[in-house]
Amino acid sequence: MTEPIRVAVHGAAGRMGRRVVALAAQDPDFEIVAAIEHADCSDLGHDAGLLAGIPAVDIPVASQWPGFADAVIDFSLPSAVDGVIANCIAAKIPLVMATTGLSPEQKNQLAEAAKTLPIVWAPSMSLAVNLTMKLAQQVAATLKDVPGGMDVEILERHHRYKADAPSGTALRFGELIAQQLGDDIRHVHGREGETGQRSRNEIGYHAIRVGDNPGEHTIVFGMLGEKIELNVGASNRDCYASGALTAAKFLKDREPGLYSMFDVLGLS
């Protein structure tokens, strides 16, 4: 029998961290070896399983990092990412970076760390989102020179508590589409007032914050006389937790490098 993957969850007391703990505990391919939180977290000492709404897993939430693990899954905040990267480098633990809203400097840190560690980083861990990104690339590449031109608009919906806008996933959709359309693409965030006629070389972004929506993205490709809309949405957060666990499985025995969910899905 194959040994289970020893996984440490950083941000274990958060909404996403709890779902990672819950799903990992139900999967025989995983063994939870650490549930990590910041030193001021009020849930320190609580059993990570009970905190996640499942039976106890005998792993208390702690601020100390483990000396060993086969992978760390990080669902936390951008302010914690520097420490996550440093601790993974120090302990030589592969990393699934699922935290969104990273700065350009932090993305550079990930690339540097990937010279010595295998790392999966993506703005979304959802398998469906990443497959839709691939479809969006194909649509853009096929229709970029369509007679009359093609307009691209990206609409994203998230819960009222989300701190960044537009979402990292929406921005990644735009980056991938722009790569197919050319170097002169402008990224426009919302519109107001007398904006004039829409430019042919722009991608528009629109962020909606409502209720408890866990995430929905619609990519509109508008042409003269017809349109294509790609829509992908989550009904709960488990798709992100499940995708992160799939990425952790991908990292097992992997060589150092910075991998994407396209790599995890075999879409590269």
Side-chain angles (χ1 to χ4, degrees):
M1 180 178 176
T2 305
E3 290 293 322
I5 298 168
R6 301 170 300 178
V7 64
V9 181
H10 183 263
R15 288 190 297 266
M16 283 308 312
R18 296 184 191 202
R19 293 313 301 158
V20 173
V21 168
L23 295 186
Q26 298 168 10
D27 190 332
D29 288 338
F30 288 98
E31 175 190 356
I32 302 170
V33 296
I36 311 166
E37 269 294 347
H38 60 88
D40 296 325
C41 178
S42 61
D43 292 307
L44 292 182
H46 293 182
D47 185 275
L50 296 177
L51 198 60
I54 62 172
V57 294
D58 297 326
I59 298 292
V61 176
S63 59
Q64 293 79 25
W65 279 71
F68 65 92
D70 295 314
V72 168
I73 295 176
D74 175 54
F75 272 107
S76 59
L77 296 170
S79 58
V81 164
D82 294 0
V84 171
I85 295 172
N87 278 287
C88 284
I89 291 173
K92 297 182 172 60
I93 303 176
L95 171 63
V96 177
M97 176 51 67
T99 295
T100 60
L102 304 190
S103 68
E105 292 77 14
Q106 289 171 324
K107 293 176 185 178
N108 289 335
Q109 286 182 48
L110 281 177
E112 189 65 26
K115 294 177 181 178
T116 57
L117 296 175
I119 297 174
V120 171
W121 173 77
S124 174
M125 290 289 124
S126 162
L127 305 184
V129 163
N130 283 279
L131 180 56
T132 305
M133 285 180 175
K134 198 67 175 179
L135 294 174
Q137 280 187 305
Q138 293 175 334
V139 172
T142 302
L143 298 178
K144 65 179 181 179
D145 297 321
V146 67
M150 177 180 67
D151 305 320
V152 181
E153 298 283 308
I154 300 174
L155 295 81
E156 57 100 343
R157 296 174 174 87
H158 280 87
H159 51 84
R160 65 177 64 158
Y161 307 105
K162 187 168 178 60
D164 57 316
S167 69
T169 299
L171 294 173
R172 183 59 177 159
F173 267 112
E175 290 171 2
L176 292 171
I177 292 168
Q179 289 171 10
Q180 304 300 321
L181 299 183
D183 296 332
D184 62 341
I185 298 298
R186 296 170 52 245
H187 299 268
V188 177
H189 300 277
R191 295 185 181 85
E192 183 180 9
E194 295 293 331
T195 60
Q197 180 174 304
R198 188 191 194 282
S199 168
R200 289 276 297 275
N201 65 332
E202 67 184 43
I203 295 175
Y205 299 83
H206 310 275
I208 300 167
R209 297 292 175 263
V210 287
D212 60 354
N213 192 322
E216 181 178 355
H217 293 80
T218 301
I219 318 303
V220 183
F221 298 90
M223 297 153 284
L224 298 180
E226 57 185 347
K227 67 178 173 64
I228 294 173
E229 289 193 14
L230 301 177
N231 176 268
V232 59
S235 56
N236 59 52
R237 293 182 173 85
D238 282 8
C239 61
Y240 307 117
S242 178
L245 289 168
T246 300
K249 292 180 182 180
F250 170 85
L251 285 178
K252 186 173 176 61
D253 300 323
R254 193 70 53 177
E255 292 295 318
L258 187 58
Y259 300 96
S260 71
M261 288 300 287
F262 281 8
D263 296 311
V264 174
L265 289 168
L267 297 175
S268 297

